[in-house]
Amino acid sequence: MLSKALLRLGASAARHPWRVIAAWLIAATLAVLAAVAFGGRTADSMTAPGLDSQRAAELIERAGTGQEGMTAQVVVTSLDDGATFFDDEGARTALARLRAEVKRLPHVLGTSDPAGALDAGGATAVRGGLVSADGRIAVVRVQYPDQSRLSAEDLDALVGLGDRLRAELPLHIEMGGNLFYAFSDPDGGVSELIGLLAAAAILFLAFGSLVAAALPIGMAVFGLTVGVATMTVLAGVTDVPTFAPVLGSMVGLGVGIDYALFVLARHREYLARGLDPHEAAGRAVATAGRPVVFAGGTVVVSILGMAVANVPFMTVGGLAVSIVVLTMVLASVTLLPAFLGAAGPRLARASRIGRALQTRKLGRPAQRRDPAAGAAHAAGWRRWIGHVSRHPVPYAIGAAGLLLTATLPLLGLRVGLPDDGSLPQSRTERRAYDLVAEGFGPGTNGPLVIAADPTGDPGVLDRLVEAVAADPGIASVAPTHIDRATGIATLVVFPTTSPQDKATADTIARLRTDVLPTAIGHGPARAHVGGAAASLSDVGQRTSQRLPVFVAAVLAMSFLLLMLVFRSILVPLKAVLLNLLSIGAAYGIMVAVFQWGWGGALIGLEATVPIVSFIPMFLFAILFGLSMDYEVFLLARVREEFVRTGDNSTAIVDGVSGTARIITSAALIMVAVFLSFAVADDPSTKMFGLGLATAILIDATVVRMVLVPATMTLLGRANWWLPKWLDRLLPRGPVGTDDTDAESTGEAPRPLLVDR
């Protein structure tokens, strides 16, 4: 039985705290040492089997042109604003030296030579896209091999060279390209610190005790160290995307502190009843630990379910984040009770504010509480929930209307990937992007690579070049490169619009469905559109196509799990619909902020951007799991009151008001942690942070404190209806009405109730 196992685990950890803490110290040390010895750096690989861009990459790789590899670009201007590379001999000499030093870097296959092209004739440099028409901006394009043969050290070498040459040459030097995208370190450290400080402040206000506030933070830091170090080891085996450590830290801190709050609050209740600290810790883990295990398991299963998208980097990213969540669950039921045992009875001592808040958090019915425990605050929650329950129709309609209105922008959702133009001006990639767009046009920042196999149709290449150049979305076409051994041709083309522009995705689609098929005809030749912009567009389309299947699977799983927990049809159906509504509202707010620019300046967003293609699926998986702990915690208490009193209205008021304080405190911690990441430089990190914070805030306020009591009042006793034949078929779950902690009703301590 789960309760018995958790009881023994928690009590044992509390009785032998230093052994458990030492074991976690050893585990953390070993994980960090393994990360140093065997770990790798994160890297992004936006490819997936079966996509047209992947077929183009395979053709390019067969041809061995090197264009299947990574690229970087060094963008330079003269320090003399009035000078151009056409008439400044010193600037051209410095440009030639820069190009020569870049070419000597490890793994560089080749570079373009704007200075040589200028010496041969200015028109050649302009036609080749190496020098802008006004002569002010020059580009050195750097070709690297395939990503599998590179590492972050190659990026460090290029950046280090740029730093040195800025001091030595009379040039303004900026850098960008997909080498930066693949190997740049993700945002994180400062955001994690801000999140921890905010969580510590909220915990202190909630518990009124520095010791009580420090324990969840300490547990989260331990768990995050082990989880992220393990993720780093995983990166040494396979490509872990750069967003995984940031998302893992974000979710890990949020759920770790959240889970610890549930257990710690229950432990303090037992201490207040006079239980021994060791027994109190065991009982706290046995009761509050059950929804923690349930919620953590749901998060992990939901995230791993993203494998249905058949996009490898998303699958690996989900696995990496799941490792952190699992580590936090394990820490909540082992390390935290060890901390509780080591702290002993000191956790029972708190300031007046702490004592006033603590007893209300565990959701005991207000009429059974000790008046000294802050009955006035509890009465406030009872008055609010009672008011909502007496007017369920207007509150249900009003809250649902509000969330539906917030969801409306979702109709304009456009997925893609923000390019370097969305980064802050403090980043060299953004400055390089702006210079290239200014000198050569925005499409130069995202060239497309058309790979063609003209087998059996030697005239197809001329038709392809002519048709592609005539397309209104194409600004220019570079000379065709033909591999003599294989006959495969590669054609680099530059769109008229930026990589993240919707028009670029339309151009890619038009090339594939109209331009290339018309030029090729019905012959044996074939052509595919590749390049970074095409790959990102393809991944976005695939995730959008698979998202409905994924959502349906998660909804079905959630419904079945909640039906097992609460032995009801309508309660899980209502929960699923309300969760869907809150997540939809969060999506809508994200679209309004990032695509429409509403309030973007508040989080440091300098330009509107599309929603990153894989974020909606990740958010859905994470948020449905995170909402489960609130759902189980709240509805289990309502169900308990209904079983005790048989009165639906009383059960709703007592159950919802009794859990309101702990749910709002836990949600506030999560919102603070997630919002701390919304101010990061990277737009993807901002989206994760704002999306998670918004959804949790809506879920813990509008949904839990308005819609849940209103809809449950309207449903009445039908909330708990389950056909007898279905009740006999369903197995008894480890969490729920058959596993209720009767002690939480405020009765005198007695032997713990366990699974029956």
Side-chain angles (χ1 to χ4, degrees):
M1 298 293 184
L2 181 60
S3 292
K4 288 182 178 179
L6 290 175
L7 173 63
R8 288 192 296 267
L9 185 62
S12 176
R15 278 192 293 269
H16 308 286
W18 300 115
R19 296 180 187 177
V20 176
I21 294 171
W24 272 92
L25 277 172
I26 293 171
T29 302
L30 291 177
V32 171
L33 291 176
V36 172
F38 309 109
R41 294 280 291 270
T42 56
D44 287 312
S45 179
M46 293 289 185
T47 60
L51 298 177
D52 189 68
S53 54
Q54 181 64 24
R55 296 189 182 100
E58 291 167 356
L59 276 181
I60 295 171
E61 188 173 4
R62 271 184 53 198
T65 62
Q67 289 177 321
E68 75 278 8
M70 305 295 294
T71 60
Q73 55 187 18
V74 183
V75 188
V76 297
T77 62
S78 173
L79 290 179
D80 183 354
D81 290 338
T84 72
F85 286 103
F86 293 134
D87 54 25
D88 190 333
E89 182 70 26
R92 284 207 303 275
T93 301
L95 183 60
R97 179 187 163 190
L98 181 148
R99 182 250 179 183
E101 296 218 24
V102 169
K103 192 174 182 179
R104 287 197 292 268
L105 289 175
H107 297 129
V108 170
L109 300 178
T111 63
S112 61
D113 185 8
L118 282 168
D119 291 336
T124 302
V126 172
R127 283 198 306 271
L130 303 178
V131 178
S132 61
D134 61 6
R136 293 178 48 254
I137 302 170
V139 177
V140 177
R141 296 193 175 93
V142 188
Q143 184 67 53
Y144 286 91
D146 184 78
Q147 181 173 334
S148 62
R149 296 164 58 188
L150 301 174
S151 70
E153 293 178 358
D154 294 285
L155 175 60
D156 294 341
L158 180 63
V159 171
L161 176 64
D163 291 339
R164 177 170 63 84
L165 293 182
R166 285 187 185 97
E168 299 177 3
L169 299 178
L171 298 175
H172 176 72
I173 303 172
E174 303 295 349
M175 299 179 175
N178 58 18
L179 185 72
F180 283 79
Y181 176 77
F183 295 111
S184 290
D185 286 328
D187 297 329
V190 175
S191 297
E192 293 168 10
L193 180 59
I194 294 173
L196 283 172
L197 292 175
I202 296 168
L203 286 167
F204 177 72
L205 289 175
F207 290 116
S209 165
L210 287 175
V211 175
L215 296 188
I217 300 295
M219 189 213 79
V221 170
F222 261 98
L224 199 60
T225 300
V226 175
V228 173
T230 305
M231 187 188 300
T232 305
V233 175
L234 179 64
V237 179
T238 186
D239 287 336
V240 173
T242 54
F243 67 79
V246 175
L247 185 58
S249 298
M250 194 186 309
V251 175
L253 284 177
V255 302
I257 297 173
D258 207 34
Y259 295 164
L261 176 61
F262 289 150
V263 176
L264 177 58
R266 185 63 61 98
H267 175 73
R268 281 165 60 93
E269 180 188 11
Y270 291 136
L271 288 178
R273 296 183 190 178
L275 269 67
D276 174 84
H278 301 159
E279 184 180 0
R283 290 173 181 268
V285 173
T287 52
R290 287 173 296 177
V292 166
V293 172
F294 178 79
T298 305
V299 172
V300 170
V301 172
S302 298
I303 294 177
L304 293 180
M306 291 189 302
V308 301
N310 195 24
V311 178
F313 81 88
M314 288 179 60
T315 303
V316 176
L319 175 61
V321 175
S322 296
I323 290 172
V324 179
V325 175
L326 280 175
T327 305
M328 288 301 182
V329 172
L330 183 61
S332 299
V333 297
T334 58
L335 180 60
L336 183 60
F339 284 162
L340 300 179
R346 286 176 294 175
L347 288 174
R349 296 191 296 270
S351 68
R352 179 177 57 83
I353 295 176
R355 290 194 300 272
L357 292 175
Q358 184 267 331
T359 54
R360 289 194 303 280
K361 286 180 175 291
L362 274 288
R364 292 181 288 163
Q367 67 270 24
R368 296 187 176 200
R369 293 188 184 116
D370 183 346
H377 292 284
W381 284 110
R382 286 179 57 79
R383 283 195 300 270
W384 168 251
I385 301 303
H387 175 70
V388 172
S389 298
R390 288 191 299 272
H391 306 87
V393 174
Y395 275 105
I397 294 175
L402 177 66
L403 295 186
L404 286 173
T405 301
T407 304
L408 287 177
L410 182 58
L411 299 175
L413 175 69
R414 180 170 68 86
V415 298
L417 193 78
D419 55 33
D420 288 345
S422 60
L423 295 174
Q425 287 284 350
S426 59
R427 297 278 291 268
T428 184
E429 303 100 295
R430 168 64 186 272
R431 296 192 295 269
Y433 178 98
D434 289 344
L435 285 173
V436 170
E438 176 188 345
F440 305 93
T444 310
N445 282 298
L448 306 176
V449 182
I450 298 176
D453 184 354
T455 302
D457 189 355
V460 71
L461 293 181
D462 293 335
R463 299 198 303 272
L464 274 176
V465 173
E466 182 179 352
V468 170
D471 186 86
I474 300 300
S476 61
V477 180
T480 305
H481 181 281
I482 302 175
D483 179 63
R484 294 186 178 182
T486 62
I488 294 173
T490 53
L491 193 65
V492 178
V493 301
F494 299 95
T496 57
T497 50
S498 67
Q500 72 177 21
D501 199 308
K502 183 179 183 299
T504 302
D506 294 339
T507 297
I508 294 170
R510 189 169 57 250
L511 290 175
R512 287 170 173 164
T513 59
D514 184 22
V515 177
L516 298 187
T518 300
I520 292 175
H522 299 289
R526 57 195 177 104
H528 303 284
V529 181
S535 296
L536 297 174
S537 176
D538 289 350
V539 169
Q541 288 185 5
R542 171 164 288 185
T543 54
S544 297
Q545 292 168 356
R546 301 291 175 89
L547 183 60
V549 176
F550 173 73
V551 168
V554 172
L555 291 177
M557 179 190 69
S558 302
F559 176 82
L560 291 174
L561 287 175
L562 289 174
M563 186 169 61
L564 286 172
V565 169
F566 296 111
R567 325 300 293 182
S568 166
I569 295 290
L570 293 181
V571 163
L573 180 61
K574 172 195 62 65
V576 165
L577 293 177
L578 293 185
N579 285 346
L580 193 61
L581 196 59
S582 64
I583 293 174
Y587 282 178
I589 292 172
M590 285 175 58
V591 171
V593 172
F594 291 97
Q595 289 185 208
W596 300 354
W598 293 6
L602 297 176
I603 57 173
L605 188 68
E606 297 187 2
T608 58
V609 294
I611 302 301
V612 177
S613 57
F614 54 83
I615 282 183
M617 187 174 285
F618 259 103
L619 285 184
F620 194 88
I622 294 169
L623 289 171
F624 244 88
L626 294 182
S627 67
M628 278 298 176
D629 55 358
Y630 298 155
E631 193 75 40
V632 172
F633 191 77
L634 186 152
L635 292 180
R637 192 55 54 88
V638 174
R639 172 65 175 174
E640 177 185 328
E641 293 299 323
F642 179 75
V643 170
R644 185 179 62 85
T645 65
D647 183 271
N648 185 67
S649 298
T650 301
I652 293 170
V653 173
D654 288 350
V656 178
S657 64
T659 55
R661 298 289 293 189
I662 192 168
I663 286 178
T664 51
S665 296
L668 188 59
I669 288 173
M670 276 204 181
V671 169
V673 170
F674 294 151
L675 279 181
S676 68
F677 286 84
V679 297
D681 286 347
D682 182 61
S684 301
T685 305
K686 290 181 185 291
M687 288 180 197
F688 276 126
L690 183 65
L692 288 169
T694 303
I696 292 296
L697 181 62
I698 291 172
D699 187 76
T701 54
V702 179
V703 173
R704 304 294 161 207
M705 300 304 140
V706 180
L707 277 173
V708 167
T711 54
M712 293 191 75
T713 299
L714 291 172
L715 291 172
R717 295 182 67 89
N719 280 303
W720 313 110
W721 172 75
L722 182 70
K724 291 183 178 180
W725 63 268
L726 183 57
D727 186 48
R728 289 192 298 268
L729 290 177
L730 293 177
R732 299 290 168 176
V735 182
T737 59
D738 286 352
D739 197 23
T740 302
D741 176 23
E743 293 176 316
S744 63
T745 62
E747 299 168 10
R750 59 180 184 267
L752 182 72
L753 296 182
V754 296
D755 299 311
R756 296 192 292 271

